[in-house]
Amino acid sequence: MKFKAFFTDKGVTTLEKKFVPAFEKIGKTCYVYLTRTHVTLMHNAVNADGVQAIAQFKEALLFDDYRISSQNEDRIAFTLDLNLLLRALKSSVSMDGDKLQIKLGR
């Protein structure tokens, strides 16, 4: 499985200012589900207890040059530490860099 993309400016702002802080108030980790056309963030979607939060985005809103491949019809799911994601997003904004790249390592 492979995933590589560059965040758009709007994608960084959307996640950093709105969604990641809200999800982080609910819990420390979330599930990420990637398809060819959408990126879905899910918190507590597996358990029936407590607050559940799901956010689905078209990949073009969050990423430029979005590449995904897997043996499961180009679908990838993994857990993500929200604090680490928020730190990376804030760091990219403060550094005023050209592009923020995200890759999935094995």
Side-chain angles (χ1 to χ4, degrees), residues 5-6 8 13 22 25 38 45 68-69 73 79 81 83 102:
F6 290 94
T8 63
T13 303
K25 289 179 183 177
H38 289 89
I68 183 172
S69 66
E73 298 178 7
T79 58
D81 185 319
N83 186 34
I102 186 169

Side-chain angles (χ1 to χ4, degrees), residues 6-7 14 18 39-40 43 45 64-65 67 71 76 83 87 92 96 102:
F6 290 94
F7 275 103
T14 300
K18 299 175 183 174
V39 176
T40 306
H43 176 68
D64 282 330
D65 195 16
R67 298 180 197 176
Q71 294 178 353
I76 299 173
N83 186 34
R87 284 176 42 200
S92 75
D96 199 28
I102 186 169

Side-chain angles (χ1 to χ4, degrees), residues 94-105:
S94 68
M95 291 174 37
D96 199 28
D98 270 350
K99 289 188 174 188
L100 176 61
Q101 183 181 35
I102 186 169
K103 287 182 182 180
L104 181 62

Side-chain angles (χ1 to χ4, degrees), residues 12-23:
V12 170
T13 303
T14 300
L15 290 176
E16 185 218 352
K17 300 283 186 199
K18 299 175 183 174
F19 288 93
V20 175
F23 271 58

Side-chain angles (χ1 to χ4, degrees), residues 1 3 30-34 40 42 76-80 102 104:
M1 75 183 145
F3 167 66
C30 76
Y31 296 101
V32 179
Y33 179 62
L34 306 170
T40 306
M42 298 173 281
I76 299 173
F78 55 94
T79 58
L80 179 66
I102 186 169
L104 181 62

Side-chain angles (χ1 to χ4, degrees), residues 20-75:
V20 175
F23 271 58
E24 197 173 32
K25 289 179 183 177
I26 299 170
K28 295 181 181 193
T29 61
C30 76
Y31 296 101
V32 179
Y33 179 62
L34 306 170
T35 66
R36 291 181 199 128
T37 57
H38 289 89
V39 176
T40 306
L41 304 175
M42 298 173 281
H43 176 68
N44 205 20
V46 178
N47 298 330
D49 298 340
V51 176
Q52 295 180 340
I54 300 172
Q56 185 175 50
F57 306 95
K58 289 198 176 226
E59 54 84 18
L61 174 73
L62 299 180
F63 301 114
D64 282 330
D65 195 16
Y66 181 80
R67 298 180 197 176
I68 183 172
S69 66
S70 77
Q71 294 178 353
N72 189 21
E73 298 178 7
D74 294 339
R75 295 178 294 184

